[in-house]
Amino acid sequence: MVKIEEAIQQKEFKDPFNKAVVNLLYTHSYLVTSQNALFKPYGISPEQYNVLRILRGQNGVPTTVSSIQERMLNKMSNASRLVEKLKVKGLVKRSECPNDRRQVDVLITEKGLELLAELQIRVEKGNIDFVHLNLDEVDKLNELLDKLRG
Amino acid sequence: MVKIEEAIQQKEFKDPFNKAVVNLLYTHSYLVTSQNALFKPYGISPEQYNVLRILRGQNGVPTTVSSIQERMLNKMSNASRLVEKLKVKGLVKRSECPNDRRQVDVLITEKGLELLAELQIRVEKGNIDFVHLNLDEVDKLNELLDKLRG
DNA sequence: ATTATATAAATGTATAGACATATAATGTGA
DNA sequence: TCACATTATATGTCTATACATTTATATAAT
């Protein structure tokens, strides 16, 4: 086990709260590096994968761009541009919403569902491999992260 | 306390390990949003702040770009470009390393030290406010994050 | 000494996040 | 109806990450 102090060659932290923030940042970067390697061969990014998952979760009901945005892991990300990229790849369809022409209905395509199914197996396996904790520990981690956010 | 399922409107997860990965991603984004707000008025980014901290930690000993890179929270970030931005702002100095002209010595300036000191107070206060955990809990979180990375 | 290899830093390019602004459509009050 | 605010989406621009490539220097091998 590599403690955060070693990982970034910092002798000590002001207090455990400041240490936890750095630990979160470092662990996140570590996670994203691993995710990128997994996604690379499939030609989509983790963020695009997340949008596809949100769309599939709607079970065929068209989803607006703002509704996707609300469900994204990163609320600051740009759903409009991610949808455009997925459309270029033929993974989603976009259509004008009939009752409100400002809105755009987004639907995942067959091709999108297929890619998602294939990716999901590897992502879920990858996540289990990534988290070197036992069941009790991972439950505790989830609890602490939820509580941390207040 | 807002559980991760609520926060991203996802009913359930495949298993607690996959939930933990999503929880990490979401909590990270939540943290970064808070950090950005804090840094904005000072005209530097959290990543640039991190570089300044690394430089000050050397206590006046010049640091090479690759040595900065090794100590960064995100090993994939581009220390060369971050140093350039800090130099433009007058927060660091760059000079050719005499014994190896491939290397570049980077030093934090007086102005850099002053900004860092001012920022640090707010960052450390902000981090304590951000982490809604008691001392036992935050210690446990640090332990679990270290262990998670294996 | 010359060539090959390795290393340090910089640069090019793509994707995404952060945030301001623009455009278009809708809703609302005088 | 008309002006005005509101909402949905798109777009512009900057910063950073991700990763490949380039340039310069240093080291090693012949």
Side-chain angles (χ1 to χ4, degrees):
Chain A
M1 186 175 77
V2 180
K3 295 186 92 177
I4 183 66
E5 286 91 340
E6 259 182 88
I8 60 163
Q9 301 172 47
Q10 185 174 330
K11 287 189 202 87
E12 54 178 20
F13 292 92
K14 173 92 175 173
D15 55 62
F17 301 96
N18 277 280
K19 178 168 159 179
V21 166
V22 169
N23 215 341
L24 265 175
L25 292 172
Y26 179 73
T27 306
H28 172 263
S29 164
Y30 187 79
L31 166 60
V32 166
T33 299
S34 144
Q35 282 197 322
N36 282 332
L38 196 152
F39 280 92
K40 193 111 208 284
Y42 295 90
I44 73 167
S45 67
E47 295 76 12
Q48 289 171 26
Y49 171 79
N50 189 34
V51 172
L52 290 183
R53 272 183 58 91
I54 289 166
L55 291 172
R56 189 188 51 188
Q58 295 300 101
N59 294 309
V61 178
T63 314
T64 64
V65 172
S66 56
S67 169
I68 294 170
Q69 188 95 54
E70 276 169 22
R71 287 156 202 250
M72 289 197 69
L73 293 172
N74 189 325
K75 305 301 183 207
M76 285 299 132
S77 75
N78 195 322
S80 180
R81 283 193 180 112
L82 291 174
V83 165
E84 170 61 21
K85 295 205 169 146
L86 290 168
K87 195 199 153 202
V88 169
K89 291 173 195 154
L91 302 173
V92 307
K93 273 185 296 198
R94 232 178 1 200
S95 59
E96 196 179 73
C97 191
N99 49 319
D100 185 341
R101 284 165 50 217
R102 287 172 303 183
Q103 295 186 335
V104 171
D105 280 341
V106 186
L107 268 174
I108 187 166
T109 62
E110 256 321 303
K111 191 179 166 193
L113 285 169
E114 282 162 23
L115 176 61
L116 188 50
E118 196 184 340
L119 253 168
Q120 186 170 17
I121 295 166
R122 292 170 213 273
V123 170
E124 286 174 351
K125 175 96 172 51
N127 286 346
I128 289 172
D129 291 347
F130 177 77
V131 177
H132 293 165
L133 297 175
N134 66 38
L135 256 171
D136 284 348
E137 288 167 337
V138 75
D139 282 344
K140 186 72 185 169
L141 175 63
N142 276 310
E143 184 194 321
L144 290 173
L145 289 174
D146 287 349
K147 180 149 190 241
L148 176 147
R149 296 191 307 271
Chain B
M1 185 176 76
V2 180
K3 294 186 91 177
I4 184 65
E5 286 91 341
E6 261 182 87
I8 60 163
Q9 301 172 47
Q10 184 175 329
K11 288 190 202 84
E12 54 177 20
F13 292 93
K14 173 92 176 172
D15 55 62
F17 300 96
N18 276 279
K19 179 168 158 178
V21 166
V22 169
N23 214 342
L24 265 175
L25 292 171
Y26 180 73
T27 305
H28 172 262
S29 165
Y30 186 78
L31 166 61
V32 166
T33 299
S34 144
Q35 280 197 322
N36 282 332
L38 195 153
F39 279 91
K40 192 114 207 283
Y42 295 91
I44 73 166
S45 66
E47 295 77 12
Q48 289 170 25
Y49 171 79
N50 189 34
V51 172
L52 290 183
R53 272 184 56 91
I54 289 166
L55 292 172
R56 189 187 53 185
Q58 296 300 102
N59 295 307
V61 178
T63 313
T64 63
V65 172
S66 54
S67 169
I68 294 170
Q69 188 92 55
E70 276 169 23
R71 288 156 202 250
M72 290 197 70
L73 294 172
N74 188 326
K75 304 302 181 205
M76 287 297 131
S77 75
N78 198 321
S80 180
R81 283 194 180 108
L82 292 174
V83 165
E84 170 62 21
K85 295 205 170 145
L86 290 168
K87 194 200 154 200
V88 169
K89 289 172 196 155
L91 303 172
V92 307
K93 274 185 294 195
R94 229 174 8 196
S95 59
E96 197 180 74
C97 191
N99 50 319
D100 184 341
R101 284 164 52 216
R102 287 171 304 181
Q103 296 186 333
V104 172
D105 280 342
V106 185
L107 268 174
I108 186 165
T109 63
E110 256 322 304
K111 190 178 168 195
L113 285 168
E114 281 163 22
L115 175 61
L116 189 50
E118 195 183 342
L119 253 167
Q120 185 170 17
I121 295 163
R122 293 171 212 274
V123 169
E124 286 173 352
K125 176 98 173 50
N127 286 346
I128 289 171
D129 291 346
F130 177 78
V131 177
H132 294 164
L133 297 175
N134 65 39
L135 255 171
D136 284 347
E137 289 166 339
V138 76
D139 283 343
K140 185 73 184 170
L141 175 63
N142 276 311
E143 183 194 321
L144 290 174
L145 288 175
D146 287 349
K147 180 149 189 239
L148 176 147
R149 296 191 307 271

